[in-house]
Amino acid sequence: MKIQKVIDALEQFAPLPLQEDYDNAGLQVGLTEAEVSGALLCLDVTEDIVDEAIRRHCNLIVAHHPLIFRKLSHLTGATYVERTVVKAVKNDIVIVAMHTNLDNARGGVNHMMAEKMHLCDVRFLTPSRTIDGVEGASGVVGQLPEAMPACDFIDMLKKTFGVVCVQTNEELQRPIRSVALCGGAGAFLLEDAIDSGADAFVTGEMHYHDFFGHEGEIQIAVIGHYQSEQYTIELLRDIIQRQCPEVRCLATEINTNPIRYR
């Protein structure tokens, strides 16, 4: 099977026009007419990830975050991005990113987070649009199976996403049932979450000042960018194996999260 057919399957699930205006999802590096030897799935592409692809005989890397996010003016090896591009090209490895198009697509990253939290009646948080038959929008909101105190809700997040700590505002003094969420950097959806009537808003990262002024209004829970999107690898595998079952899909063995907790 040619690499292009795998890319087509991914973009059929999450069309590129669903990505945000600032994004650079899609094909990043390489030629797609080669036969796929294996697909390495990851959140971030680094030199170590390319080395892993070489070692595990994969000529396709499918990542969540784009390696090339901003314009490259030169390829001199001055940055890890440039070095990673050069290494991929030298070793005939194709790099594809499925970023905010996969966040926004129905059944995408945010829906996967909701599934892991066992939310029901999940719907988009913002007005949706349909591209190539696929509905998409930013964020989702759903209902917990049963209402729970804020402290139990936070403990559930720690267990579900394997986090050592959760950044929160003051604990809400009413039960939490309705939960809005957005993987990654979702602070821009906080007001939408409040307007939806959600009791809690879960995301990967927010700025310090975003926490002010919402005590008693909504429970904010920030679990870490990498942690919020970790199940994307599982999602990418499922998409490829549904449409291209003969393709060998391997989850990376490397934790690319650059943030450490001490």
Side-chain angles (χ1 to χ4, degrees), residues 27-57:
L27 179 64
Q28 304 264 292
V29 175
L31 305 177
T32 63
E33 289 306 304
E35 297 288 326
V36 60
S37 62
L40 183 66
L41 313 178
C42 58
L43 287 187
D44 312 283
V45 186
T46 64
E47 292 176 87
D48 287 342
I49 290 290
V50 177
D51 287 336
E52 182 183 17
I54 296 167
R55 175 172 56 82
R56 302 178 76 182
H57 306 292

Side-chain angles (χ1 to χ4, degrees), residues 66-82:
L67 171 64
I68 303 173
F69 198 76
R70 298 175 180 85
K71 177 183 176 181
L72 289 178
S73 300
H74 44 67
L75 280 174
T76 63
T79 68
Y80 90 88
V81 173
E82 293 178 26

Side-chain angles (χ1 to χ4, degrees), residues 72-203:
L72 289 178
S73 300
H74 44 67
L75 280 174
T76 63
T79 68
Y80 90 88
V81 173
E82 293 178 26
R83 292 190 296 272
T84 303
V85 170
V86 169
K87 182 172 286 191
V89 171
K90 283 184 174 180
N91 289 277
D92 296 320
I93 292 174
V94 174
I95 299 174
V96 175
M98 301 293 290
H99 193 211
T100 54
N101 56 318
L102 190 60
D103 289 331
N104 294 341
R106 178 170 292 282
V109 175
N110 293 323
H111 284 83
M112 175 67 84
M113 287 179 65
E115 179 182 326
K116 295 298 181 180
M117 295 167 61
H118 302 293
L119 299 186
C120 54
D121 301 325
V122 177
R123 58 180 174 82
F124 286 115
L125 182 58
T126 59
S128 65
R129 56 187 175 132
T130 300
I131 302 291
D132 297 334
V134 179
E135 187 182 14
S138 298
V140 299
V141 59
Q143 306 292 315
L144 290 167
E146 295 182 359
M148 61 176 66
C151 59
D152 292 345
F153 176 72
I154 293 165
D155 285 343
M156 179 272 289
L157 292 177
K158 292 171 71 172
K159 181 178 179 181
T160 300
F161 294 95
V163 298
V164 297
C165 63
V166 177
Q167 290 183 314
T168 73
N169 57 346
E170 183 178 308
E171 286 189 5
L172 201 65
Q173 297 304 306
R174 66 173 188 271
I176 292 174
R177 182 70 187 271
S178 178
V179 180
L181 62 87
C182 177
F188 70 102
L189 290 174
L190 178 58
E191 292 302 324
D192 293 284
I194 294 168
D195 291 343
S196 76
D199 301 308
F201 178 59
V202 181
T203 190

